[in-house]
Amino acid sequence: MTQLMRGALASRMTFESRAMKIIQLTDTHLMPAGQLANRVDPEAQMRAAIDDILTRHADADLMVITGDLCNHGDAQAYDLLREILAPVPFPVRLMLGNHDDRPNFIAAFPEHPLDGNGYVQGWQDTDFGRLIFLDTHEAGVIGGIFGADRMEFLDEALQGAGPLPPTIFIHHPPMDDGIGHFRQISLHDEGRVMARLAAHPQGIRHIVFGHIHMPLAGTSPEGIAYSAGQACAHRFITEIDRPDPWWTTGHAHYRVIFLDGLGFRAFMAEAGQLPTVQAPICDGP
């Protein structure tokens, strides 16, 4: 596709399609009710986030939780997750991280889409390109795994993605994030996912991930934009080079992602903020 054709498609999207609003939550790390994770109550954090989302963004089109749904993959924690999500009025796409348990997840959410090999993977076609959801969970491994059987799914998802660049959702970052603590526990795939994405003729709109428990935005050496939201539960003090950083707490976070004629935009949102002074309307110049 030429740059002119891509520009024409973007222009048509601007006038013919309204924005798609996606809520990203990540690393909720739920425990059975009343139990803490790293001295933080993940249930209270997630309930605060969901309350804020329902108050401010009930018009969203989709929620994506990008992995580490539960801290130990307990059946009771997945039951709690289902209960917390019950009031959400729009579709929810759940993804697995290294802390999850695939059999317990599937037992709790039997209606959730799986690929032909039983991985929690799928795609959704939208006016702004295909959304592709990848499963990097492997039992007993902190980093992510994405072997040949999962690559078959990614190949199929990309081949049928159409003329617009797809958006990728994944738990483990498939690129080197440069963070000391995660040097040995990112995606163990020898760069295959990024190579496949970089080879996609229509390009990749954005890679959205979790896992690192801190916000990050960047561009890969291949020129693909990526970002992570802040963890909803416990998160790291931003000590980028330390292999042993400190956990900390704070307000629950989520992101509001827009796909529209402006492209891809992601806004960090924080539950529990207190207003101080209202800003005036600025008419310019």
Side-chain angles (χ1 to χ4, degrees), residues 211-248:
H211 188 55
I212 61 173
H213 288 253
M214 63 178 71
L216 172 66
T219 306
S220 77
E222 300 87 351
I224 301 175
Y226 61 79
S227 63
Q230 179 64 281
C232 182
H234 47 280
R235 69 287 311 262
F236 282 122
I237 294 174
T238 307
E239 300 172 299
I240 298 166
D241 296 326
R242 286 191 65 157
D244 57 347
W246 286 88
W247 291 111
T248 188

Side-chain angles (χ1 to χ4, degrees), residues 117-132:
N117 292 310
Y119 295 114
V120 185
Q121 304 195 118
W123 66 67
Q124 177 177 334
D125 289 322
T126 79
D127 290 341
F128 308 102
R130 176 168 285 185
L131 313 179
I132 301 176

Side-chain angles (χ1 to χ4, degrees), residues 69 93-96 101-103 105-106 109 112-115 117-122 133-137 150 153 169:
L69 307 170
R93 175 72 68 157
L94 301 174
M95 302 177 63
L96 299 189
D101 181 288
R102 190 177 289 108
F105 170 81
I106 293 173
F109 295 92
H112 214 71
L114 306 176
D115 72 4
N117 292 310
Y119 295 114
V120 185
Q121 304 195 118
F133 309 96
L134 302 180
D135 182 348
T136 57
H137 166 81
R150 306 188 213 202
F153 168 83
F169 293 83

Side-chain angles (χ1 to χ4, degrees), residues 78-101:
Y78 288 119
D79 289 342
L80 180 60
L81 175 62
R82 178 178 279 280
E83 185 257 303
I84 293 173
L85 292 174
V88 176
F90 41 83
V92 178
R93 175 72 68 157
L94 301 174
M95 302 177 63
L96 299 189
N98 48 287
H99 281 261
D100 288 299
D101 181 288

